[in-house]
């Protein structure tokens, strides 16, 4: 009794807690997706088998619904940036563009998955719910400006992916994929958390801007240096940068192919967003530590990724290594972020946008081709122009985009990277640009090898029966082809304007 | 100087807007139309391609007709903002240097489509040809550095598919080699372009890819401009190709389908030499002045080496391919001679080489179609079974050798003249290339058309009338440009002179070493004098 009485003032005090004003509109994309995801789960619980076949469409609609508030927020240009939760959460152009990229990518991945999951006798309802959860993590990631929310977003994004990587339960390779991915992911999270705790210890705050300010005023301590390094390495695992990439090829090959597309595009992009946010907002004054690390990571990642990709005979593994190499290009602007923060940021987002379109498209073609050939061997693509000219042309668009040949989007992505690097006007940056240029030639070889198979060489088994393409996959290919071509030709100006984030770094 | 004339041209540009873009858009639209046609109707597909390319060619003739001879600057300019924050724009224009290359593109494509037949899949074949036409036109018209680079890269893709899909024998290997070689060389060019733009941003008032503004204003340090120039030069050198980076060319030419070879030799190689003039000499006159001797030397090596290797070829098409290496060496020599005769000659030679080598490839293609071999040893005595073809071949071959009175002479003579006044000994060695050309060409002709006709050679079908009609425009040009090159020179010279003036402005210790005679009679007068004096002597060679 007496204890309660003594606690009374304290209790009275806590009841005075005032709920912070929440900008519901700014938070709407996440809320819509959360509510819809919950609704879909409930429908699945009640409907069971009867509603199973509606799951992909329902999930896809959820992603499109979440697009609506993103668009309305974008249209209210003058109100941006909107700050929530005392600066821990921010809605600005940068985060909105990324939200758009994630939602559309997720929609395309649902299109890629629907036939694969329905025909493969998997637990498909849960698969879509997990995708929705993971995408929710990505949406949160784009706006997170606080170590804790970044970490929560990262885990929300990753944990469903661990499960999905092992979705082909009866296949040992898939089990291996899930296990490897989870062990490496958890290991990376550990390193990341350690780094974050060091940062918090040094700055006494978890908000990125506050960390930047705290260190700006004081000397850089060894603790802080370690914190920066561990944080970067933690993210390097997530974006599969060399030498922290070893999980990626096995995981990609073993996981169900639509999920591989998800990992290679959306998950990787999520990791990049976190990395960019932390480096740009929290370490603006620590470039002396971060830039050389990024330089080395970038050069290693693109070179090693490309060299190993040259030797691949399985197309999914090849795309995995090519994705590693592409991550190397995306890391490059971070090697000069102190000189040109705005260009570094916008070039990475541009690259993510175009990379998402062309890579998802390539995976869509891989899934379509596998429906006929039941194989991932590059040789099985022989003669495809004879019996599937449309698919061949689409794949050619993606391959030349990945190579960086105009008018496909890839050239603009690479051009923006060069822009960021060379506008820094330092020798180190120029050298990195030259390494990237040389790498794009190495990459051309293995991308062209696929085009060569499809166009010039005969079908390995002489089977010229056409491929039946289900409407969902057709739609996925159509969307990605249009985006890939538009971002390199008529839409270049649009992409340039949308990723022009100059105002962002000036504002607190 | 060029900038001021450009400003003057801009006021009248409104009327002409659309002319140059249509040179790119018409082939592009034609490609789209062909894609919609049924694949089973090969005749429709070819007809559509022919119509599209003829319309484009007609527009290029229209441009030629309305080209203002007195204006050395860029005409018909069309400019639209593209990405303003990056300083990119759709900036097209034409001057005396690019004019005839555009017309050449407009003429060669219809002829290549008309005179050759793909042996399978006519629909994608013609789509690629039309995309190639759009890309080539764009590259010659672009005055925005990045836009040029984009077109320069774009043309690789259709050519890759033409060689790999419709070529002969080792086609896949040749296509890969072609693509990787040229792409590897141009990869660094993009780094060079972006570096140039940022390094010059202070001088040009903000980042811009506008070639004119960059050329007039940039103040790069010697080291920086040398490095950027080298990144450009490598890309162009591979495209030309300059010895020792020419090895992709014989493979690509030999394995490519006839139309591919015609366009490759006639149009795409010119992208390299055109790039050297427009983006090498124009942007980096200081570096070109310092390092020009390297390229002149490589050009001379190319002339002698190409000729020597051509002499030894057993394959008729490969022989023509190596003769290209020699002829392109002349063009490089003329460009880096850095004087009016040399450069004018280089531009003339670009056009002439396109006409002559294009015609040669068409003829070789016809022989291959009939005899299914290109082995010189397997041919012989064709003169008896195909007298018409032998006659046409003689004319084209003599033009390639550089016989006075035919077009090949004009360019080579001007180049040698220019080189002689700039670097005497280079010219002396280069002249031997002319003699070697006579050797390998006449010898090849002799072995192919003379002698007894054995086996299938005796019964080979002569040129059909439709074929003669197809190649006739080229034959007319060969004679016309040889006899009366004045209209062409009149249009090329002012722009070349403006370019040299620009070099003189930028390079303090450079002045154009001009022989007095040239000042007196002008380039045209010199040509006429030379032809009257020499045509009797060399004319006997062909009997």
């Amino acid at each position: 009794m007496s204890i309660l009485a003594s606690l009374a003032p304290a209790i009275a005090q806590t009841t005075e807690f005032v709920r912070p004003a929440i900008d519901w509109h700014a938070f709407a994309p996440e809320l819509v997706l959360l509510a819809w995801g919950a609704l879909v789960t409930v429908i699945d619980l009640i409907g069971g088998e009867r509603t199973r076949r509606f799951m992909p469409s329902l999930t896809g609609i959820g992603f499109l619904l979440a697009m609506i508030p993103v668009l309305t927020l974008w249209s209210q240009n003058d109100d941006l940036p909107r700050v929530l939760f005392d600066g821990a959460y921010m809605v600005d152009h940068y985060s909105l563009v990324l939200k758009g990229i994630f939602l559309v990518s997720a929609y395309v991945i649902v299109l890629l998955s629907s036939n694969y999951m329905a025909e493969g006798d998997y637990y498909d309802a849960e698969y879509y719910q997990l995708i929705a959860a993971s995408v929710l993590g990505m949406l949160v990631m784009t706006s997170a400006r606080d170590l804790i929310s970044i970490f929560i977003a990262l885990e929300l994004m990753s944990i469903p992916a661990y499960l999905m990587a092992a979705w082909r339960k009866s296949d040992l390779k898939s089990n291996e994929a899930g296990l490897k991915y989870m062990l490496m992911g958890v290991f990376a999270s550990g390193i990341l958390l350690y780094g974050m705790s060091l940062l918090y210890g040094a700055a006494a705050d978890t908000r990125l801007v506050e960390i930047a300010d705290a260190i700006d005023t004081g000397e850089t301590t060894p603790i802080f240096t370690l914190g920066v390094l561990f944080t970067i390495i933690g993210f390097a695992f997530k974006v599969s940068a060399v030498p922290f990439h070893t999980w990626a090829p096995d995981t990609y090959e073993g996981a169900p192919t639509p999920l591989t597309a998800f990992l290679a595009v959306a998950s990787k992009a999520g990791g990049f967003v976190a990395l960019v946010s932390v480096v740009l907002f929290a370490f603006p004054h620590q470039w002396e530590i971060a830039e050389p690390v990024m330089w080395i990571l970038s050069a290693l990642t693109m070179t090693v990724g490309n060299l190993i990709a040259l030797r691949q005979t399985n197309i999914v593994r090849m795309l995995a290594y090519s994705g590693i190499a592409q991550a190397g290009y995306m890391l490059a602007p971070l090697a000069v972020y102190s000189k040109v923060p705005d260009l570094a940021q916008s070039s990475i987002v541009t690259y993510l946008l175009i990379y998402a379109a062309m890579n998802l498209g390539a995976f869509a073609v891989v899934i379509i081709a596998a429906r006929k050939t039941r194989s991932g061997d590059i040789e099985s693509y022989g003669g495809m122009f004879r019996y599937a000219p449309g698919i061949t042309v689409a794949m050619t668009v993606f391959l030349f985009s990945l190579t960086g040949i105009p008018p496909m989007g890839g050239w603009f992505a690479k051009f923006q990277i060069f822009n960021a690097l060379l506008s820094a006007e330092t020798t180190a940056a120029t050298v990195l640009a030259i390494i990237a240029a040389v790498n794009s030639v190495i990459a051309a070889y293995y991308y062209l090898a696929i085009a060569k198979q499809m166009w010039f060489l005969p079908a390995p088994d002489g089977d010229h029966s056409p491929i039946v393409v289900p409407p969902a996959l057709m739609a996925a290919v159509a969307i990605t082809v249009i985006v890939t071509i538009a971002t390199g030709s008529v839409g270049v100006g649009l992409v340039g304007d949308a990723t022009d984030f100059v105002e962002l770094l000036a504002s607190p | 100087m060029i900038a001021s004339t450009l400003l003057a041209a801009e006021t009248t540009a409104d009327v002409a807007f659309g002319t140059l873009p249509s040179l790119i858009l018409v082939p592009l639209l034609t490609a789209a139309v062909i894609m919609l046609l049924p694949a089973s109707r090969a005749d429709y597909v070819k007809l559509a391609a022919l119509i599209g390319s003829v319309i484009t060619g007609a527009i290029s003739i229209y441009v030629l007709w309305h080209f203002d001879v007195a204006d050395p600057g860029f005409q018909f300019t069309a400019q639209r903002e593209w990405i303003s924050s990056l300083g990119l724009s759709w900036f097209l224009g034409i001057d005396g240097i690019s004019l005839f290359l555009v017309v050449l593109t407009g003429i060669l494509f219809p002829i290549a489509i008309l005179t050759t037949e793909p042996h399978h899949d006519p629909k994608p074949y013609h789509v690629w040809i039309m995309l190639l036409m759009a890309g080539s036109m764009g590259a010659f018209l672009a005055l925005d550095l990045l836009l040029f680079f984009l077109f320069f890269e774009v043309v690789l893709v259709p050519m890759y598919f033409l060689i790999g899909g419709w070529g002969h024998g080792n086609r896949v290997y040749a296509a890969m080699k072609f693509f990787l070689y040229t792409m590897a060389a141009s990869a660094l060019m993009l780094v060079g372009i972006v570096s140039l733009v940022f390094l010059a941003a202070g001088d040009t008032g903000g980042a811009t890819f506008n070639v004119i503004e960059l050329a007039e204003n940039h103040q790069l340090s010697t080291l920086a401009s040398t490095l950027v120039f080298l990144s450009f030069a490598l890309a162009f050198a591979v495209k030309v190709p300059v010895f020792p980076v020419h090895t992709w060319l014989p493979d690509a030419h030999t394995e490519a389908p006839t139309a591919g070879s015609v366009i490759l030799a006639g149009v795409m190689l010119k992208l390299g030499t055109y790039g050297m003039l427009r983006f090498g000499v124009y942007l980096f006159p200081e570096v070109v002045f310092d390092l020009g001797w390297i390229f002149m030397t490589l050009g001379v090596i190319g002339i002698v080496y190409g000729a020597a290797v051509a002499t030894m070829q057993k394959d008729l098409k490969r022989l023509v391919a190596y003769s290209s290496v020699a002829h392109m060496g002349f063009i490089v020599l003329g460009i880096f001679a850095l004087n009016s005769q040399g450069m004018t000659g280089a531009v003339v030679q670009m056009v002439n080489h396109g006409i002559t080598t294009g015609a040669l490839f068409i003829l070789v293609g016809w022989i291959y179609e009939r005899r299914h071999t290109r082995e010189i040893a397997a041919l012989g005595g064709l003169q008896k079974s195909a007298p018409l073809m032998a006659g046409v071949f003689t004319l084209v071959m003599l033009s390639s050798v550089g016989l006075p009175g035919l077009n090949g002479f004009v360019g080579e003579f001007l180049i040698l003249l220019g080189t002689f006044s700039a670097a005497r000994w280079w010219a002396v060695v280069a002249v031997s290339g002319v003699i070697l050309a006579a050797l390998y060409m006449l010898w090849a002709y002799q072995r192919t058309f003379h002698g007894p006709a054995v086996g299938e050679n005796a019964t080979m079908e002569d040129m059909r009338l439709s074929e003669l009609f197809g190649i006739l425009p080229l034959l007319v040009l060969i004679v016309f440009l040889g006899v009366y090159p004045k209209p062409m020179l009149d249009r090329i010279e002012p722009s070349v002179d403006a370019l040299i003036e620009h070099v003189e402005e930028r390079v303090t210790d450079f002045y154009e070493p001009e022989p007095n005679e040239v000042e007196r009679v002008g380039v045209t007068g010199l040509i006429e004098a030379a032809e009257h004096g020499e045509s009797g002597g060399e004319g006997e060679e062909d009997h």
Side-chain angles (χ1 to χ4, degrees):
Chain A
M1 235 3 222
S2 61
I3 296 168
L4 260 183
S6 64
L7 275 178
I11 292 168
Q13 231 176 12
T14 50
T15 52
E16 277 169 33
F17 169 76
V18 184
R19 185 175 58 80
I22 294 179
D23 183 350
W24 294 105
H25 187 192
F27 208 38
E30 289 84 350
L31 289 177
V32 168
L33 192 57
L34 180 64
W36 192 264
L39 183 71
V40 170
T41 314
V42 171
I43 292 175
D44 179 43
L45 282 177
I46 298 169
E49 283 300 309
R50 280 167 298 156
T51 51
R52 257 183 75 167
R53 63 201 173 93
F54 299 117
M55 283 302 142
S57 329
L58 279 175
T59 318
I61 290 169
F63 292 136
L64 294 184
L65 280 178
M67 257 323 262
I68 295 170
V70 172
L71 293 175
T72 56
L73 282 167
W74 182 271
S75 65
Q76 294 176 6
N77 221 332
D78 302 338
D79 293 348
L80 296 175
R82 295 174 171 224
V83 183
L84 286 86
F85 307 123
D86 212 11
Y89 206 82
M90 185 110 79
V91 177
D92 46 30
H93 283 121
Y94 165 69
S95 68
L96 286 176
V97 170
L98 287 167
K99 278 176 198 183
I101 296 175
F102 282 128
L103 286 170
V104 175
S105 306
Y107 181 72
V108 172
I109 284 160
V110 169
L111 291 178
L112 296 185
S113 308
S114 59
N115 291 87
Y116 190 98
M117 286 295 151
E119 288 160 17
D121 195 24
Y122 304 111
Y123 295 108
D124 49 353
E126 289 82 352
Y127 173 85
Y128 296 109
Q129 289 149 23
L130 286 175
I131 290 238
S134 189
V135 172
L136 180 62
M138 292 168 194
L139 294 192
V140 174
M141 180 69 84
T142 62
S143 291
R145 299 287 183 277
D146 173 286
L147 291 181
I148 294 173
S149 44
I150 284 177
F151 185 74
I152 289 174
L154 197 66
E155 292 302 300
L156 184 54
M157 190 177 93
S158 306
I159 291 172
Y162 302 152
L163 293 173
M164 290 187 288
W167 214 245
R168 289 170 21 195
K169 277 206 304 186
S170 52
D171 186 343
L172 271 179
K173 272 198 166 180
S174 187
N175 299 355
E176 182 193 341
L179 190 65
K180 263 193 183 160
Y181 187 33
M182 191 200 73
L183 287 178
M184 291 312 270
V186 170
F187 182 52
S189 293
I191 293 176
L192 183 64
L193 264 188
Y194 187 50
M196 286 180 167
S197 67
L198 290 176
L199 291 183
Y200 176 67
D205 204 309
T206 55
R207 279 168 296 175
L208 301 182
V209 184
E210 298 298 321
I211 294 173
D213 285 350
I215 308 307
D216 185 28
T217 48
E219 282 281 300
T220 300
T221 55
I223 296 234
F224 194 83
T225 308
L226 273 182
V228 171
L229 283 179
F230 277 118
T231 318
I232 291 176
I233 290 172
F235 287 127
F237 272 104
K238 294 286 176 191
V239 301
S240 64
V242 176
F244 312 107
H245 67 288
T246 44
W247 59 272
D250 291 335
T251 303
Y252 285 10
E253 195 189 352
T257 320
L259 187 85
T260 307
F262 184 72
L263 292 179
V265 174
S267 252
K268 181 176 282 184
F272 261 103
V273 172
L275 183 61
V276 170
S277 299
V278 168
V279 169
L280 283 178
F281 301 134
F283 308 150
H285 313 294
Q286 271 59 51
W287 57 272
E288 280 175 320
I289 310 161
E291 283 191 350
V293 177
M294 288 301 176
W295 197 99
I296 293 166
L297 278 181
S298 167
L300 268 182
T301 306
M302 56 177 114
T303 312
V304 173
N306 269 329
L307 289 178
I308 303 180
L310 278 179
R311 302 187 53 86
Q312 300 306 314
T313 52
N314 178 297
I315 192 155
V316 178
R317 281 187 87 85
M318 194 222 79
L319 282 174
Y321 279 110
S322 105
I324 291 173
Q326 304 266 351
Y329 302 139
M330 283 186 259
L331 283 169
L334 289 178
V336 293
Y337 74 89
S338 64
K339 292 245 173 35
V340 282
D342 47 342
L343 257 179
Q345 193 184 23
S346 60
S347 63
I348 293 174
V349 175
T350 307
Y351 209 108
L352 283 176
L353 164 67
I354 293 167
Y355 170 80
M358 58 195 184
N359 237 30
L360 282 178
F363 274 110
V365 173
V366 170
I367 292 169
I368 291 171
R371 288 170 64 83
K372 176 188 154 94
T373 61
R374 299 279 151 217
S375 162
D377 283 345
I378 291 174
E379 276 184 14
S380 71
Y381 282 71
M384 205 167 273
F385 179 65
R386 291 261 150 269
Y387 60 84
I391 293 302
T392 306
V393 170
M395 189 61 166
T396 310
V397 167
F398 302 131
L399 290 172
F400 280 106
S401 182
L402 286 163
T403 314
I405 300 290
M408 272 59 97
W411 80 263
F412 185 60
K414 289 221 171 66
F415 171 74
Q416 286 288 64
I417 299 289
F418 285 136
N419 244 347
L421 281 174
L422 296 169
S423 63
E425 291 181 25
T426 62
T427 315
T430 311
V431 171
L432 192 55
I434 291 172
I435 295 176
V438 171
N439 264 295
S440 68
V441 181
I442 302 175
Y445 181 80
Y446 58 82
Y447 292 132
L448 279 186
I450 301 174
K452 179 181 85 180
Q453 285 286 346
M454 299 177 90
W455 284 82
F456 306 149
L457 299 182
D461 47 2
D463 178 7
H464 280 186
S465 57
I467 301 182
V468 183
V469 186
L473 285 171
M474 190 81 94
V477 171
I479 294 172
T480 45
V481 163
I482 289 170
V483 176
T484 304
I485 295 179
T487 47
S489 52
V490 286
V492 166
L494 214 63
V495 178
D497 290 344
T499 54
D500 195 3
F501 304 127
V502 179
E503 94 285 351
L504 199 83
L505 293 144
S507 65
Chain B
M1 152 103 206
I2 292 178
S4 57
T5 48
L6 174 82
L7 287 177
E10 262 179 357
T11 52
T12 56
D14 292 340
V15 192
F17 185 83
T19 316
L20 296 190
S22 66
L23 284 172
I24 303 167
L25 289 176
V26 170
L28 211 57
L29 284 176
T30 313
V33 168
I34 295 173
M35 274 190 236
L36 298 175
L37 291 173
S40 52
R41 296 303 303 262
D43 43 347
Y44 284 6
V45 166
K46 184 165 177 171
L47 188 68
L50 204 55
I51 291 173
S53 58
V54 166
I55 293 175
T56 318
I59 300 171
S60 73
I61 304 283
Y62 168 86
V63 172
L64 176 67
W65 196 258
H66 289 269
F67 188 83
D68 182 1
V69 185
D71 182 1
F74 293 104
Q75 305 181 23
F76 294 91
T77 49
Q79 191 164 17
R80 283 283 180 280
E81 283 288 315
W82 193 16
I83 313 175
S84 43
S85 59
L86 297 173
L88 284 178
S89 65
W90 271 85
F91 185 18
L92 307 178
I94 198 165
D95 70 349
I97 294 172
S98 51
L99 175 68
F100 288 96
L101 295 170
V102 168
V103 176
L104 177 72
T105 311
I107 293 174
L108 267 186
F109 271 84
I111 292 177
I113 293 168
L114 186 67
T115 54
T116 60
E117 204 73 53
H119 46 86
H120 62 92
D121 291 301
K123 185 173 148 177
Y125 171 87
H126 285 108
V127 169
W128 289 126
I129 294 241
M130 293 320 289
L131 290 178
L132 190 55
M133 185 173 196
S136 315
M137 282 289 186
F140 287 131
L141 294 173
L143 293 181
D144 183 280
L145 202 45
L146 193 79
L147 196 60
F148 167 78
F149 180 77
L150 295 184
F151 283 119
F152 191 75
E153 291 272 278
V154 160
V155 291
L156 296 184
V157 179
M159 192 43 97
Y160 168 77
F161 283 107
L162 284 175
I163 297 174
W166 288 268
H168 315 283
N170 213 353
R171 60 197 165 92
V172 177
Y173 167 79
M176 280 297 250
K177 191 171 178 183
F178 159 77
F179 193 99
L180 290 176
Y181 241 86
T182 31
M183 194 197 155
S186 56
L188 286 181
M189 189 182 168
L190 182 57
V191 179
I193 289 174
V194 181
S195 301
L196 168 68
V197 167
F198 281 114
L199 291 172
D203 311 321
T204 53
T208 176
F209 289 85
N210 185 323
V211 175
I212 300 165
E213 280 182 35
L214 284 172
E216 299 290 334
N217 299 321
H218 86 78
Q219 302 291 341
L220 259 62
S221 67
T222 315
L223 178 68
S225 49
T226 307
L227 289 175
V228 176
F229 170 77
L230 287 178
S231 79
F232 283 34
L234 180 65
F236 297 142
V238 169
K239 200 84 167 187
V240 171
V242 172
F243 178 89
V245 285
H246 64 283
T247 57
W248 64 269
L249 179 119
D251 286 314
H253 263 324
T254 314
E255 311 302 350
T258 302
S261 303
V262 171
I263 294 162
L264 192 59
V267 178
M268 284 181 72
L269 301 189
K270 308 307 177 299
L271 286 177
T273 43
Y274 169 75
M276 284 178 172
L277 264 176
R278 173 78 78 232
F279 305 101
V281 177
Y282 188 34
L283 284 174
F284 308 103
E286 304 93 336
V287 188
V288 170
F289 179 65
D290 287 340
L291 301 181
W293 63 273
I294 297 177
F295 289 89
M296 290 183 80
T297 311
L298 291 177
V300 169
I301 295 175
I303 293 171
V304 178
Y305 170 85
V309 179
T311 317
M312 294 294 117
Q313 290 309 310
K314 296 185 178 73
D315 182 321
L316 197 55
K317 206 172 178 189
R318 233 179 152 79
L319 184 146
V320 180
Y322 273 107
S323 83
S324 267
V325 175
H327 284 139
M328 296 308 283
F330 271 108
I331 299 173
V332 172
L333 194 61
I335 291 172
F336 289 94
L338 278 187
N339 53 35
S340 183
Q341 300 86 36
M343 278 192 192
T344 310
V347 178
V348 172
Q349 179 71 359
M350 280 189 225
V351 178
N352 288 337
H353 175 257
I355 296 170
T356 307
T357 311
L360 272 178
F361 274 122
I362 292 175
L363 288 166
V364 174
W366 283 338
I367 294 175
Y368 178 75
E369 239 170 60
R370 289 163 163 78
R371 293 283 294 101
H372 301 287
T373 179
R374 295 183 307 250
E375 285 278 315
I376 296 173
L379 302 166
L382 296 182
Q383 204 170 26
K384 301 206 174 55
S385 51
L388 188 56
M389 189 182 276
V392 172
F393 202 102
T394 311
L395 180 73
V396 176
M397 170 200 71
L398 290 177
S399 142
S400 176
V401 170
L403 186 79
L406 298 179
N407 64 344
F409 171 75
V410 183
E412 277 182 14
F413 176 73
L414 282 173
I415 290 171
L416 287 173
L417 195 68
T419 311
F420 194 78
S421 55
R424 187 154 304 182
W425 290 104
W426 275 259
V428 170
V429 182
V431 168
S432 70
V434 182
I435 299 160
L436 281 171
L439 175 70
Y440 63 76
M441 272 297 169
L442 291 173
W443 194 31
Y445 177 79
Q446 187 195 338
R447 284 180 292 167
T448 312
F449 284 93
H450 290 180
V454 188
E456 283 184 54
N457 291 335
T459 57
M460 196 183 87
E461 190 196 349
D462 199 359
M463 228 156 139
R464 286 183 287 266
L465 226 81
S466 60
E467 288 175 333
L468 180 66
F469 173 73
I471 205 171
L472 196 64
L474 295 182
L475 304 181
V476 171
L477 283 174
I478 285 175
V479 177
F480 176 77
L481 294 177
V483 177
Y484 190 52
K486 186 173 173 349
M488 188 184 189
L489 295 172
D490 284 349
R491 284 164 177 79
I492 295 172
E493 251 198 297
S495 296
V496 165
D497 287 341
L499 180 58
I500 288 172
E501 214 170 290
H502 171 77
V503 177
E504 281 173 344
E505 273 170 30
R506 297 284 306 232
V507 187
T508 42
D509 47 357
F510 172 77
Y511 72 97
E512 190 193 349
E514 228 172 338
N516 293 330
E517 204 183 351
V518 178
E519 271 173 26
R520 202 155 30 79
V521 292
V523 171
T524 326
L526 263 175
I527 290 275
E528 278 161 10
E531 279 179 359
H532 287 304
E534 289 176 36
S535 58
E538 277 187 43
E540 283 168 15
E541 234 171 86
D542 82 327
H543 296 299

